[in-house]
Amino acid sequence: MSRYNAPLALRPDPAASAPTVAMVMAAGLGKRMRPLTATRPKPLIEVAGRTLLDHSLDRLRAAGVKRAVVNVHYLADALEAHLKNRVKGIEIAVSDERDRLLETGGGLVKALPLIDANPFLVVNSDNLWIDGPVDTLRLLASNWDEERMDALLLLVPLARANCHAGQGDFHMAATGVIRRKKPGTVAPYVYTGIQMVSKRLFEGEVPEGPFSTNILWDRAMKSGRCFGAVHQGLWFDVGAPASIRKTEAILGEL
């Protein structure tokens, strides 16, 4: 079977290593998490005794990531103070969006000069994941193919998307190529907020100012260069206060 038609790996290549740099998306307003976000940014909400931001940084550090670029906007001073005083073992760079919230795509574009790796990881700070039999980020890196990929999204089956109220995001072929679901339908996979991307994703015409990463993914999908890999462990969509209790209850059973 050609490597271009081969299914993606379920176990990491022993020689594979995760990128050394990750972007952590932490600039959102956290509207769905109100009233908890009235006085603190969403990434500093605690779940199971640690902030959402620290859970993400713990996983990055465990996978061998050396540097995390974190964007800030809402209650940015609190986030920066936490990063400076509470985070150890990983280098932190701040991408400052105080003047203007740039959404996911615009935030990545602004942070690119701080990201000295290619490819690199991107992690949303409002989800929480637990590794399965293997390290999740190393598994993602094992499936990266520089020749045919511009983006590799970590997906979880809809049936295992804890605390998630949606109807799925993507369909995925055996080769890992993904496509969006049609409006009003259900799709078998949910995007986890974790991806590995090449800086090629940002080449060509890119919108200025705030825009969604969806625009870049759609372009990559049209050219067959947007892929998915299936998460082997637990994943939680910690988007609202009720999700915290549900997540902690499930974690307490482990």
Side-chain angles (χ1 to χ4, degrees):
M1 179 182 291
S2 166
R3 62 191 293 268
Y4 294 101
N5 295 317
L8 299 189
L10 296 178
R11 300 189 64 82
D13 180 342
S17 57
T20 58
V21 179
M23 173 80 184
V24 180
M25 310 301 292
L29 298 175
K31 292 181 179 180
R32 289 192 301 141
M33 193 61 86
R34 291 174 179 170
L36 298 181
T37 49
T39 56
R40 53 186 161 173
K42 186 176 181 180
L44 297 188
I45 298 294
E46 289 195 1
V47 179
R50 289 186 67 73
T51 69
L52 286 168
L53 178 60
D54 287 335
H55 280 296
S56 294
L57 292 173
D58 288 347
R59 297 297 174 200
L60 292 171
R61 189 187 301 108
V65 175
K66 305 300 182 185
R67 174 181 170 88
V69 178
V70 184
N71 66 342
V72 299
H73 172 76
Y74 177 63
L75 298 177
D77 289 349
L79 263 174
E80 287 201 271
H82 182 89
L83 291 167
K84 180 179 179 180
N85 300 319
R86 300 286 297 276
V87 175
K88 309 295 180 185
I90 188 169
E91 180 186 349
I92 299 293
V94 171
S95 181
D96 194 335
E97 295 181 26
R98 281 178 173 85
D99 293 339
R100 188 184 190 189
L101 183 60
L102 294 171
E103 299 183 33
T104 53
L108 279 167
V109 170
K110 180 179 175 63
L112 280 179
L114 299 173
I115 299 173
D116 55 350
N118 192 27
F120 61 96
L121 294 165
V122 183
V123 175
N124 293 352
S125 62
D126 61 352
N127 66 80
L128 189 154
W129 78 94
I130 304 296
D131 289 336
V134 298
D135 181 277
T136 299
L137 299 179
R138 283 189 57 226
L139 177 65
L140 201 60
S142 293
N143 282 302
W144 180 258
D145 189 321
E146 184 67 21
E147 292 184 20
R148 59 176 177 152
M149 296 180 182
D150 288 343
L152 177 61
L153 282 55
L154 185 72
L155 307 178
V156 65
L158 178 59
R160 292 199 286 110
N162 291 295
C163 308
H164 186 72
Q167 297 298 307
D169 301 311
F170 297 104
H171 297 271
M172 181 169 59
T175 57
V177 174
I178 62 174
R179 60 179 175 85
R180 292 191 184 278
K181 70 170 186 174
K182 295 180 180 179
T185 65
V186 176
Y189 294 103
V190 173
Y191 174 54
T192 63
I194 302 162
Q195 60 180 318
M196 188 168 168
V197 301
S198 167
K199 290 189 175 181
R200 282 189 304 272
L201 193 66
F202 307 91
E203 293 176 353
E205 187 174 347
V206 175
E208 294 184 4
F211 73 94
S212 171
T213 312
N214 283 308
I215 293 175
L216 304 178
W217 289 345
D218 286 343
R219 188 170 65 184
M221 275 185 249
K222 286 181 180 178
S223 59
R225 298 186 62 81
C226 193
F227 286 71
V230 179
H231 179 45
Q232 303 297 306
L234 292 175
W235 178 80
F236 303 88
D237 181 356
V238 190
S243 301
I244 298 175
R245 295 187 293 274
K246 293 178 182 178
T247 299
E248 290 178 333
I250 294 172
L251 292 176
E253 296 175 355
L254 299 180

